[in-house]
Amino acid sequence: MAPENRAPGKVGPARRRGLADEVADRVRAAIFDGTYPPGSRLRETELSSALEVSRGPVREALMCLEGEGLLRSGWHRGAVVVELSAEDVAEIDSLRGTLEQLAVRLAAERASGEDLDTLARAADRMRRAEDAHELVALDIAFHDAVYAATGHRRLQEAWHTIRSQVHLFLVSRIGVSVEGYLETVPGEHRDLVDALRTRDTDVALRLFADHRAHALHVLTGRDTD
Amino acid sequence: MAPENRAPGKVGPARRRGLADEVADRVRAAIFDGTYPPGSRLRETELSSALEVSRGPVREALMCLEGEGLLRSGWHRGAVVVELSAEDVAEIDSLRGTLEQLAVRLAAERASGEDLDTLARAADRMRRAEDAHELVALDIAFHDAVYAATGHRRLQEAWHTIRSQVHLFLVSRIGVSVEGYLETVPGEHRDLVDALRTRDTDVALRLFADHRAHALHVLTGRDTD
DNA sequence: GAACACTCTAATGTCAACATTCAGACATTG
DNA sequence: CAATGTCTGAATGTTGACATTAGAGTGTTC
């Protein structure tokens, strides 16, 4: 997903990925599409035989997913898909807000024209989303692009540690209450890009904050505290 | 280090740790004490024979340390101890500032009396530090306590992903320019606790920000931008 | 009947051997 | 002599077997 948006005319480094990454991707996707609902136990043995891979790469993949907050595990107790409580959602939201505040500030300040174009394309793609699942993925991808535009590697890494949890939350809520989400969200993102383009930090910060508050309100049916 | 500061009269859960955790602790300590200076290559084979453990746990430990930002690695290319550039230090500082802002706000708001006592003890311990290395460890431990007082698990996790890098930076700078660090830092931390105790968020935020800026100034010899 | 101790099993933790890959040295060629 | 091709050694990636453990189930005792 990340290597897709490389600038035309430049070639990215030809990385070769190991089995662990492959397994991580599959399991992550399986969690998002409901194959492993929250609370499921993920047994290394099962996965290793299902994916026809030995337990080594599976272990690594699970450890990686635990780092993304999708799994919880303990000594000799295996891994379980997280069940996001209301408190968890609040934690994710507050942390995300803090990170995004820095990200927006940096992006409004340093984003290159190329970065902004990438962002615009990402926002555009959302208008053509066919189903809610795809829209969620594009929503996340948009925010990925914002963080990428900051050029702040550690900030991106910090975002990566809650990214999947945000994704999981969104996916778990679509279908419950999508009223207004599908229609308004694509438009909102276009506004966000415009705000970054004018490089008006304060406006951008407020728009992003409103965007988060609105999404949280729509999806949880409650106001932020 | 974390289980140390548990409230008296309560016993923490008796967790059983695996070899991987043990290895991670040893290697981390070895990096901090200069056994593996920045740029060193950490070979799984070497570590596994040196620690008399198979490569499995070593792999896990290295992966864990990579998550803490102490190591960088690539496909079939092993792990290398990070060399913090000026840009890296700036990244760490800005991210830390953002996280700590949220942490201070939450701590000033929700910290229990017990939490504040723990913080006071942590600040007190710094006065009795015998050498710079110990002072650095206590400094980090103090900030651990601040994050712990927030009760925000994900915020603590985010801190953990840069905690070791901050530690590495501090250790790499003591001896270069410690003038004023050893003397002023313990006192500053006492002020930080007092600010949290009065629950005056704005004052606390400013004090913590000043504290970071001062430390960065002393250790790098440059002003913040 | 409830609490305790024991057993058993299925899962994770660990290990050592095998396969694959990368980086550098060396030879080759224009 | 520079650029390319090949080779080699040492490291990582992967595997399956073995050791250990948590937790459920069973039986016993008071």
Side-chain angles (χ1 to χ4, degrees):
Chain A
M1 191 167 281
E4 278 181 16
N5 41 11
R6 64 172 184 272
K10 293 180 182 177
V11 288
R15 291 210 166 69
R16 172 162 262 170
R17 305 173 348 139
L19 277 184
D21 285 344
E22 199 71 33
V23 172
D25 287 347
R26 302 258 188 149
V27 176
R28 195 186 299 112
I31 291 175
F32 289 154
D33 75 13
T35 305
Y36 299 118
S40 307
R41 257 195 91 178
L42 297 187
R43 279 170 262 269
E44 295 178 1
T45 314
E46 283 184 15
L47 290 173
S48 102
S49 62
L51 296 171
E52 297 180 358
V53 172
S54 91
R55 276 179 48 217
V58 172
R59 265 179 89 80
E60 275 187 34
L62 292 182
M63 180 163 283
C64 177
L65 294 178
E66 190 183 349
E68 295 178 16
L70 280 180
L71 269 42
R72 297 281 164 195
S73 68
W75 168 269
H76 258 293
R77 218 172 305 158
V80 175
V81 180
V82 288
E83 300 175 276
L84 295 176
S85 68
E87 189 186 353
D88 287 325
V89 174
E91 276 195 13
I92 294 169
D93 183 61
S94 63
L95 181 53
R96 182 192 173 185
T98 293
L99 295 179
E100 212 164 82
Q101 200 172 328
L102 176 57
V104 169
R105 204 174 288 139
L106 289 175
E109 181 184 322
R110 323 174 166 168
S112 68
E114 215 171 78
D115 291 332
L116 291 169
D117 291 343
T118 304
L119 274 168
R121 276 195 301 273
D124 239 20
R125 240 172 269 144
M126 298 182 71
R127 317 186 80 120
R128 289 189 287 279
E130 308 212 327
D131 57 32
H133 262 82
E134 193 185 343
L135 185 59
V136 166
L138 291 172
D139 193 341
I140 298 284
F142 174 84
H143 290 275
D144 284 349
V146 174
Y147 284 93
T150 64
H152 193 308
R153 203 160 49 75
R154 285 169 180 83
L155 180 57
Q156 292 180 63
E157 289 172 1
W159 160 241
H160 270 271
T161 65
I162 57 169
R163 193 189 106 114
S164 291
Q165 299 175 65
V166 173
H167 196 147
L168 182 61
F169 169 69
L170 292 177
V171 180
S172 71
R173 279 291 167 172
I174 61 174
V176 180
S177 63
V178 284
E179 16 163 357
Y181 181 69
L182 287 156
E183 293 78 20
T184 62
V185 162
E188 281 185 25
H189 282 77
R190 173 154 286 281
D191 295 340
L192 296 178
V193 180
D194 291 339
L196 290 177
R197 214 173 225 124
T198 62
R199 303 198 182 276
D200 187 330
T201 306
D202 292 330
V203 170
L205 281 173
R206 192 166 59 248
L207 279 181
F208 270 85
D210 289 346
H211 171 61
R212 284 194 308 276
H214 178 221
L216 197 67
H217 176 71
V218 168
L219 293 172
T220 66
R222 294 187 331 199
D223 286 324
T224 57
D225 50 3
Chain B
M1 191 165 281
E4 278 181 17
N5 40 13
R6 62 172 186 272
K10 293 180 181 178
V11 288
R15 290 210 167 69
R16 172 160 257 170
R17 305 168 356 135
L19 277 183
D21 286 344
E22 199 71 34
V23 172
D25 286 348
R26 302 257 189 146
V27 176
R28 195 185 299 110
I31 292 175
F32 290 153
D33 75 11
T35 305
Y36 299 118
S40 306
R41 266 195 80 177
L42 297 186
R43 279 169 262 269
E44 296 179 0
T45 314
E46 283 184 14
L47 290 173
S48 99
S49 62
L51 297 170
E52 296 179 359
V53 172
S54 92
R55 275 180 49 216
V58 172
R59 266 180 88 81
E60 276 188 33
L62 292 183
M63 180 164 281
C64 177
L65 294 178
E66 190 182 350
E68 295 177 17
L70 280 180
L71 268 41
R72 297 281 165 195
S73 67
W75 166 269
H76 258 293
R77 218 169 302 159
V80 176
V81 179
V82 287
E83 300 175 275
L84 296 176
S85 67
E87 189 186 352
D88 287 326
V89 174
E91 276 196 11
I92 294 170
D93 183 60
S94 62
L95 181 54
R96 181 192 174 185
T98 294
L99 295 179
E100 211 163 84
Q101 201 172 325
L102 176 58
V104 169
R105 205 175 288 140
L106 290 174
E109 180 184 322
R110 324 173 165 168
S112 68
E114 214 172 78
D115 291 332
L116 291 170
D117 291 344
T118 304
L119 274 168
R121 275 195 302 273
D124 239 20
R125 239 172 270 143
M126 298 182 72
R127 317 186 80 120
R128 288 189 287 281
E130 309 214 324
D131 58 32
H133 262 83
E134 193 185 345
L135 184 59
V136 166
L138 290 173
D139 192 342
I140 298 285
F142 174 84
H143 289 275
D144 284 349
V146 174
Y147 283 93
T150 63
H152 193 308
R153 205 160 49 75
R154 284 168 180 82
L155 180 57
Q156 292 180 64
E157 289 172 1
W159 160 241
H160 270 272
T161 65
I162 57 168
R163 191 187 105 113
S164 291
Q165 298 175 65
V166 174
H167 197 146
L168 182 60
F169 169 69
L170 291 177
V171 181
S172 71
R173 280 292 168 172
I174 60 175
V176 179
S177 62
V178 284
E179 15 165 355
Y181 181 71
L182 288 156
E183 294 76 22
T184 62
V185 162
E188 282 185 26
H189 281 78
R190 172 153 287 282
D191 295 339
L192 296 179
V193 181
D194 291 338
L196 291 177
R197 212 173 227 125
T198 61
R199 303 199 182 276
D200 188 330
T201 306
D202 291 330
V203 170
L205 281 174
R206 191 166 60 248
L207 279 181
F208 271 85
D210 289 347
H211 171 61
R212 284 193 308 276
H214 178 221
L216 196 67
H217 176 71
V218 168
L219 293 172
T220 66
R222 292 187 333 200
D223 286 324
T224 57
D225 47 7

